[in-house]
Amino acid sequence: MNRAITLNFHFAVWLSILGGIAVLGNLNLVIPEAEGFYGPMRNNLFIVVGYLLISQIVLWYFRYRRGSRIEALLMGLIFLLTAGGVELYAMLNDLPISQIFVFASVYLGAAHILYYFGEHMMAEPRPERTSEPKRRGSGI
């Protein structure tokens, strides 16, 4: 089970990196009707996707350098917040956002968070104490 969680995490990392590069190259992957989509809103979307891409690469590098999983938790939370933020941004600005982009962000966030907690879920449970703790004497 832990191996499947790890493989899913690695797949999610590569999907996020390659997907970020694809979105930066083709905005139609996020906004289906991008012909009239110019100016500050377009730049904001590119900044968000670029930020996610750079963050994913940097956090993945530090994950391998340090050997910890806290980076995966942080990136997972960022992906989930991005999914909600993009939906809110689209609603406020009346933009048609691709649901595949939102679904992919939620999947990437869940995969990263599962990777962080996967190690804790697979850990051996602590043995329960069967004897009462020793009491200290009254000092007499």
Side-chain angles (χ1 to χ4, degrees):
M1 179 81 154
N2 200 15
R3 177 106 172 118
I5 291 171
T6 302
L7 287 174
N8 183 48
F9 170 71
H10 290 292
F11 175 74
V13 167
W14 283 107
L15 180 67
S16 68
I17 292 171
L18 296 176
I21 292 169
V23 167
L24 288 176
N26 184 8
L27 187 61
N28 290 333
L29 294 174
V30 178
I31 300 179
E33 302 164 5
E35 292 125 14
F37 187 64
Y38 296 105
M41 288 193 296
R42 179 183 176 104
N43 293 339
N44 288 345
L45 182 62
F46 276 125
I47 289 170
V48 167
V49 172
Y51 171 73
L52 285 173
L53 178 62
I54 291 168
S55 297
Q56 179 65 50
I57 292 169
V58 168
L59 289 175
W60 195 40
Y61 169 76
F62 282 115
R63 189 267 173 256
Y64 278 104
R65 184 167 175 133
R66 291 180 41 206
S68 72
R69 293 183 179 217
I70 192 72
E71 293 85 5
L73 177 64
L74 176 64
M75 199 66 209
L77 293 173
I78 290 171
F79 276 120
L80 291 178
L81 289 172
T82 299
V86 165
E87 282 287 334
L88 179 65
Y89 188 78
M91 183 182 70
L92 292 176
N93 293 301
D94 197 29
L95 293 173
I97 294 292
S98 170
Q99 291 303 309
I100 293 173
F101 178 75
V102 175
F103 176 73
S105 296
V106 170
Y107 162 72
L108 294 172
H112 282 68
I113 291 172
L114 180 64
Y115 179 72
Y116 174 76
F117 286 111
E119 181 179 40
H120 301 295
M121 291 187 308
M122 296 297 154
E124 295 284 326
R126 291 185 184 178
E128 294 183 26
R129 291 184 176 180
T130 56
S131 63
E132 292 184 27
K134 294 180 182 179
R135 295 185 183 175
R136 293 188 177 202
S138 61
I140 302 179

